[in-house]
């Protein structure tokens, strides 16, 4: 069937036209057919991409509510994944047609900031905003997989794609996702891995990450009922994820994937980055009081967090 379609001058084009069919049932079945036909055929992948499929698919994703949408969103993202996977020319075309610039909007978890929310579609109330359905998680995982696929080591496009991702501001929404405690651990871990992939072996992106400050709320010691905002380097917060205690709402076993991903990000940040290595080494000092590791870790430097874990490894409360 694939060969017959390729031989026909308008074969693939007619199939891509199904993506803009006004009848949802036809459009949805067309997506399924294209998923099957692009899974392992590079020629069909290229023709589908050049028939404006990227625009069609991202348009449908927006119409269906973004990553918070239904299984149709997952199907569109899966087809997008098929078109880009191991296909260098399609990845070039995706970047050159501003496809990478449209990825950050897919990472937004606040419904009011999505195309659906801005266009007046009904959005969940505040209580539902933080709720992650299994479909929402599946959709987001495909998006994160697409991002990581575009910047794999050894890919001839990796550095260009890393630069394009940094220029379109993909790191802040990825960080927001990685630090969203209400998000599933699988999603948070993949977001951390993705940030690591964006900055790995890319000096400009590493330098940008080094300058990111994140404001966290910390209880005021003099007044426990009040909180104060403290800006901290992103790298400190990521190291705290890697070596700190797991949240009480998540089991230690489940949280290990988040910690491993945070470790990957730290390694990507310091790898081949002499300035970051020196800055981290300069803070490798013991905390003021070794016995106070159970105190809030917000006041410790990046190096101090690492040292305190090494000095405190015999503590019974440390599961690992």
């Amino acid at each position: 069937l694939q060969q017959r379609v390729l031989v026909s001058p308008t074969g693939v084009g007619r199939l891509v036209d199904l993506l803009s069919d006004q009848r949802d049932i036809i459009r949805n079945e067309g997506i399924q057919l294209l998923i099957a036909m692009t899974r392992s055929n590079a020629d069909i992948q290229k023709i589908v991409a050049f028939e404006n499929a990227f625009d069609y698919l991202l348009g449908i994703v927006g119409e269906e509510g973004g990553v918070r949408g239904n299984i149709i969103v997952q199907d569109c993202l899966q087809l997008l994944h098929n078109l880009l996977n191991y296909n260098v020319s399609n990845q070039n075309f995706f970047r050159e047609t501003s496809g990478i610039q449209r990825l950050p909007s897919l990472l937004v978890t606040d419904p009011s900031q999505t195309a659906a929310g801005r266009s007046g579609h009904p959005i969940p109330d505040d209580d539902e905003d933080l709720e992650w359905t299994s479909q929402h998680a599946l959709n987001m995982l495909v998006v994160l997989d697409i991002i990581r696929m575009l910047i794999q080591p050894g890919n001839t496009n990796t550095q260009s794609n890393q630069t394009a991702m940094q220029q379109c501001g993909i790191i802040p929404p990825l960080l927001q996702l990685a630090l969203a405690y209400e998000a599933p651990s699988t999603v948070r871990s993949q977001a951390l891995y993705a940030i690591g992939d964006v900055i790995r072996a890319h000096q400009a992106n590493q330098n940008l990450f080094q300058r990111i400050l994140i404001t966290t709320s910390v209880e005021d010691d003099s007044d426990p009922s009040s909180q104060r905002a403290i800006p901290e380097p992103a790298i400190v917060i990521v190291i705290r994820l890697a070596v700190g205690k797991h949240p009480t709402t998540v089991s230690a076993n489940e949280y290990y994937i988040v910690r491993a991903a945070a470790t990957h990000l730290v390694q990507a940040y310091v790898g081949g980055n002499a300035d970051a290595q020196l800055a981290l080494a300069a803070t490798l000092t013991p905390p003021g009081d070794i016995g106070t590791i159970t105190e809030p870790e917000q006041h410790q430097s990046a190096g101090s967090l690492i040292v305190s874990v090494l000095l405190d490894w015999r503590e019974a409360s440390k599961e690992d």
Side-chain angles (χ1 to χ4, degrees):
L1 176 61
Q2 290 174 328
Q3 291 306 316
R4 295 273 182 164
V5 170
L6 282 170
V7 169
S8 171
T10 59
V12 176
R14 290 288 296 277
L15 293 178
V16 175
D17 286 344
L18 297 174
L19 298 179
S20 57
D21 198 292
Q22 297 303 306
R23 296 160 294 183
D24 286 354
I25 184 67
I26 302 296
R27 181 199 68 184
N28 298 347
E29 291 299 320
I31 294 170
Q32 290 291 333
L33 177 58
L34 285 168
I35 287 174
M37 296 192 72
T38 56
R39 194 166 285 129
S40 59
N41 191 305
D43 293 327
I44 293 181
Q45 289 170 358
K46 290 177 185 175
I47 299 172
V48 170
F50 280 91
E51 290 283 349
N52 210 27
F54 295 144
D55 265 348
Y56 283 134
L57 292 171
L58 292 172
I60 295 170
V61 168
E63 290 168 10
E64 296 291 337
V67 287
R68 285 184 171 270
N70 53 28
I71 195 168
I72 304 304
V73 170
Q74 184 184 349
D75 289 341
C76 288
L77 294 171
Q78 185 58 56
L79 179 50
L80 183 61
H81 186 283
N82 285 5
L83 295 175
L84 296 171
N85 200 21
Y86 301 117
N87 196 313
V88 174
S89 65
N90 277 7
Q91 291 182 14
N92 279 332
F93 187 60
F94 186 67
R95 184 180 65 251
E96 291 162 2
T97 55
S98 301
I100 286 178
Q101 284 85 331
R102 297 173 72 173
L103 292 176
S105 63
L106 296 178
L107 299 168
V108 176
T109 55
D110 180 356
S112 64
Q113 299 301 310
T114 64
R118 290 193 299 269
S119 62
H121 284 66
I123 59 175
D125 60 31
D126 290 343
D127 290 337
E128 294 172 335
D129 282 357
L130 302 179
E131 185 180 338
W132 279 74
T133 64
S134 58
Q135 187 63 62
H136 182 193
L138 286 170
N139 294 346
M140 187 65 82
L141 286 170
V142 182
V143 173
L144 293 168
D145 197 31
I146 289 170
I147 292 171
R148 296 194 64 198
M149 174 180 55
L150 292 168
I151 46 179
Q152 283 303 296
N155 184 343
T156 56
N157 286 324
T158 289
Q159 190 156 27
S160 299
N161 292 342
Q162 285 175 309
T163 300
M165 287 183 183
Q166 180 265 314
Q167 290 172 344
C168 71
I170 207 167
I171 293 179
L174 281 172
L175 258 178
Q176 190 173 18
L177 195 57
L179 300 177
Y181 286 98
E182 70 277 2
S185 296
T186 49
V187 171
R188 295 185 63 198
S189 66
Q190 287 304 306
L192 287 163
Y193 277 119
I195 300 168
D197 291 345
V198 171
I199 70 173
R200 181 189 50 236
H202 193 292
Q203 188 172 4
N205 290 4
Q206 289 172 330
N207 291 342
L208 174 75
F209 184 76
Q210 186 171 5
R211 297 194 297 270
I212 294 177
L213 293 175
I214 298 174
T215 301
T216 54
S217 295
V218 180
E219 285 188 2
D220 192 327
D221 295 335
S222 59
D223 181 7
S225 63
S226 67
Q227 293 190 328
R228 53 199 171 96
I230 297 183
E232 291 186 290
I235 188 61
V236 173
I237 293 178
V238 172
I239 289 176
R240 189 180 301 132
L241 277 180
V243 302
K245 292 188 170 127
H246 66 86
T248 54
T249 54
V250 183
S251 72
N253 286 338
E254 181 188 340
Y255 201 61
Y256 282 137
I257 61 172
V258 175
R259 302 180 67 173
T263 306
H264 167 82
L265 173 48
V266 175
Q267 290 173 322
Y269 168 65
V270 298
N273 186 347
D275 289 342
Q277 292 169 14
L278 287 170
L280 183 59
T283 64
L284 287 170
T285 55
D289 182 353
I290 304 304
T292 60
I293 291 306
T294 53
E295 295 296 312
E297 298 152 349
Q298 283 86 343
H299 306 293
Q300 292 181 251
S301 65
S304 179
L305 281 166
I306 295 172
V307 172
S308 55
V309 172
L310 294 173
L311 295 176
D312 226 33
W313 66 275
R314 292 180 185 275
E315 236 190 51
S317 62
K318 297 272 186 189
E319 296 93 339
D320 54 346

